[in-house]
Amino acid sequence: MANIASARKRIRQTAKRTARNTARKSRMRTFIKKVETAIESGDQAAAREALRIAQPEIQRAASKGVAHHNTVARKISRLSARIKTLATA
């Protein structure tokens, strides 16, 4: 355990930051799962609406540094491509 006050404070800050980042990452995954569930149901309108709601939340994770920008771009791109194929299927 840290004995110096600045080190104790650093531990507290890290714990808070870790909890916040975990919550953001979990929230991002939840929104992605909602979109995937809508895609599996086969309803393109519902899937498109779910993606419209999820997109800002997923991008927020990138802007806060929880996820990499390219990872977020790839996930959104693949989800939208899967929604697009629902029209032809």
Side-chain angles (χ1 to χ4, degrees), residues 21-58:
N21 288 343
T22 305
R24 280 196 184 112
K25 196 175 283 189
S26 174
R27 189 170 164 84
M28 181 183 81
R29 286 195 203 110
T30 302
F31 276 95
I32 290 171
K33 282 180 189 161
K34 286 179 183 177
V35 175
E36 288 174 344
T37 305
I39 290 170
E40 287 168 13
S41 72
D43 185 9
Q44 188 183 22
R48 192 175 283 143
E49 181 63 21
L51 181 64
R52 188 188 66 77
I53 293 168
Q55 197 165 351
E57 194 61 44
I58 297 168

Side-chain angles (χ1 to χ4, degrees), residues 66-84:
V66 176
H68 195 274
H69 287 278
N70 290 349
T71 304
V72 167
R74 184 180 68 241
K75 285 184 185 297
I76 291 172
S77 175
R78 287 182 182 172
L79 287 172
S80 60
R82 285 172 63 192
I83 291 170
K84 194 174 180 181

